[in-house]
Amino acid sequence: MTQPDSITPDFRTTAIHAGQDFDPTTGAVIPPVYFTTTFVQDGLGGFRGGYEYARGGNPTRDSLQTLLSALEGGDRAFSFASGLAGEDTLLRSILKPGDHVLMGNDVYGGTHRLVNRAHVPWGIELSTVEMMDADAVRAAIRPTTKVVWLETPSNPLMKITDIAAISEIAHAAGAVVVVDNTFASPYLQQPLSLGADVVTHSTTKYLGGHSDVLGGAVILNNDVMVGDESLAEKVAFLQFGVGAVSSPLDAWLTIRGIKTLAVRMDRHSSNAQTIAEALVGHPKVSTVFYPGLPDHPGHELAARQMKLFGGMISLRLADATAARAFAEGTKLFQLAESLGGVESLMCYPSEMTHASVRGTALEVPDNVVRLSVGIEGVDDLLGDVLQALERV
Ligand SMILES: *Cc1c(COP(=O)(O)O)cnc(C)c1O
């Protein structure tokens, strides 16, 4: 596998040290959390370290932003109160009425809902396409397409999109390519190095990693332009001008989570691989969706594009009754929305994460369940899944 490790000499070192200099005043190894909304000026306009008011900047948030840009190999990162707050700020920095957004047909339901219900009423056009099909993407691009938005692996069907190929098509049409890298995390996949313009994250998931802090991020290089304006500058302005920013404590918790991202992702991936392999051919499971399986349609591409295959698995069962019984039948896998924490979670997308896209192109079949495989002992996890299948 050819992970572009050249971006960050060793990701595991960067994840612990980037933006994490010790406190110069006291020598504290862990920089303090800056709980302050405002900063004293040494005379009018005399800002220490450039800080003036916390909506515009706070040292703890800056420390997280430095870390995030290092992890994704981008010039700038912006952190937000949630993944969707970041997405909204990004999209409003690019789009004007009449512009078109082309999205993968199984992006995160909330992303589709955001554009469909908050941006379309203001004159944005939205359509979806199968991102695995390059010809279909070419055909779906319009003269007004300004954003091509994709997610790989996708949620919940674990489809793999060729980031480099789609970026080439989108760039030929002058569109900005956004990759939601939440499922993979930058340890497994670095979209900017593959040709994407912008990476977004729900840091609520793998980056935070402990299901205890909501957050979002937008990461990009300085040379991404919207018309003749720098997109990074536009996002910086709206982050400050709207203020959907992460709080100091949220930023600090996210930094704390990121320090163990690499070891967690290694374990998430190996646990998921073991469980996926064990379920292939199980009489109660008709399809295992996991890119680490050799007969997954995106396996070869995932092996090129990702370092490991991640911790998310989806399963197709016989019907909705079976899927519901399985989703309610596990004990260690707790029935809850979200993913990417150290603890394993079970999701029934059609009534949980994807309820908001029922009746749209993004509708998820009602016989599919999604597992966020945690880092517990793999035998315990597998035993739990097998006993729940037994009772279906
Ligand atoms: C959760 C999630 C989001 C939204 O992030 P929030 O932090 O919940 O606002 C976006 N994309 C993906 C892939 C997600 O899983």
Side-chain angles (χ1 to χ4, degrees):
M1 289 178 214
T2 56
Q3 171 65 8
D5 263 342
S6 53
I7 289 179
T8 49
D10 188 321
F11 185 97
R12 292 162 295 191
T13 307
T14 305
I16 291 168
H17 292 288
Q20 307 308 309
D21 298 339
F22 67 84
D23 176 42
T25 319
T26 62
V29 168
I30 303 304
V33 189
Y34 285 84
F35 285 116
T36 187
T37 54
T38 190
F39 300 84
V40 168
Q41 304 182 13
D42 296 319
L44 285 172
F47 305 125
R48 298 189 179 195
Y51 294 108
E52 182 176 4
Y53 179 66
R55 178 161 29 75
N58 169 289
T60 312
R61 192 166 90 227
D62 279 355
S63 156
L64 172 59
Q65 293 181 159
T66 301
L67 177 57
L68 289 166
S69 58
L71 294 184
E72 288 287 1
D75 295 328
R76 303 277 296 272
F78 302 92
S79 108
F80 294 91
S82 73
L84 287 174
E87 294 183 13
D88 180 53
T89 301
L90 171 66
L91 285 166
R92 285 191 293 125
S93 301
I94 301 173
L95 300 169
K96 57 179 185 343
D99 289 344
H100 171 237
V101 178
L102 181 62
M103 258 181 204
N105 63 6
D106 63 349
V107 297
Y108 176 70
T111 301
H112 185 268
R113 179 184 56 199
L114 169 70
V115 176
N116 197 33
R117 298 200 26 204
H119 298 165
V120 166
W122 286 81
I124 301 303
E125 295 172 17
L126 170 66
S127 66
T128 59
V129 70
E130 174 50 70
M131 284 286 169
M132 293 192 302
D133 181 346
D135 291 333
V137 174
R138 237 177 251 113
I141 286 183
R142 306 175 187 174
T144 51
T145 303
K146 291 287 155 47
V147 172
V148 173
W149 188 291
L150 65 95
E151 218 176 295
T152 178
S154 73
N155 175 13
L157 296 180
M158 308 303 294
K159 294 186 206 165
I160 305 296
T161 293
D162 188 332
I163 296 172
I166 298 300
S167 297
E168 222 176 288
I169 295 168
H171 287 156
V176 171
V177 177
V178 182
V179 176
D180 181 338
N181 204 26
T182 299
F183 264 42
S185 90
Y187 180 56
L188 302 190
Q189 171 174 284
Q190 293 169 322
L192 299 181
S193 75
L194 297 166
D197 300 300
V198 186
V199 168
T200 65
H201 277 284
S202 170
T203 62
T204 312
K205 315 294 169 51
Y206 285 109
L207 288 168
H210 297 75
S211 306
D212 55 8
V213 58
L214 204 62
V218 171
I219 302 129
L220 73 170
N221 283 315
N222 285 328
D223 60 3
V224 180
M225 305 297 282
V226 174
D228 53 9
E229 289 180 274
S230 148
L231 179 55
E233 287 308 319
K234 295 183 73 130
V235 173
F237 169 73
L238 269 192
Q239 184 197 38
F240 157 72
V242 173
V245 294
S246 36
S247 76
L249 184 60
D250 289 356
W252 185 84
L253 281 168
T254 305
I255 292 167
R256 182 184 167 125
I258 287 172
K259 291 177 189 182
T260 55
L261 178 67
V263 288
R264 285 187 285 108
M265 293 313 294
D266 284 341
R267 179 68 69 82
H268 283 297
S269 300
S270 67
N271 280 359
Q273 184 79 36
T274 301
I275 292 171
E277 285 172 6
L279 296 180
V280 171
H282 190 288
K284 302 270 176 68
V285 179
S286 45
T287 316
V288 181
F289 300 94
Y290 186 66
L293 295 174
D295 61 354
H296 183 282
H299 176 70
E300 298 294 318
L301 176 58
R304 257 188 286 134
Q305 195 166 264
M306 303 173 71
K307 188 185 184 77
L308 299 164
F309 301 103
M312 300 300 298
I313 301 176
S314 291
L315 305 175
R316 190 196 300 278
L317 276 65
D319 53 28
T321 311
R324 296 180 62 116
F326 175 62
E328 292 177 345
T330 50
K331 298 186 171 98
L332 268 175
F333 280 85
Q334 300 174 95
L335 186 63
E337 302 226 0
S338 201
L339 60 111
V342 293
E343 65 288 307
S344 294
L345 295 180
M346 167 70 70
C347 171
Y348 181 52
S350 65
E351 284 184 26
M352 295 169 66
T353 48
H354 288 65
S356 75
V357 291
R358 238 180 283 151
T360 73
L362 280 76
E363 181 165 310
V364 175
D366 63 7
N367 57 358
V368 168
V369 294
R370 189 189 77 184
L371 310 180
S372 174
V373 179
I375 64 171
E376 300 97 331
V378 71
D379 292 343
D380 295 340
L381 295 179
L382 185 55
D384 188 33
V385 167
L386 293 175
Q387 68 77 25
L389 283 172
E390 197 76 6
R391 301 189 303 151
V392 164

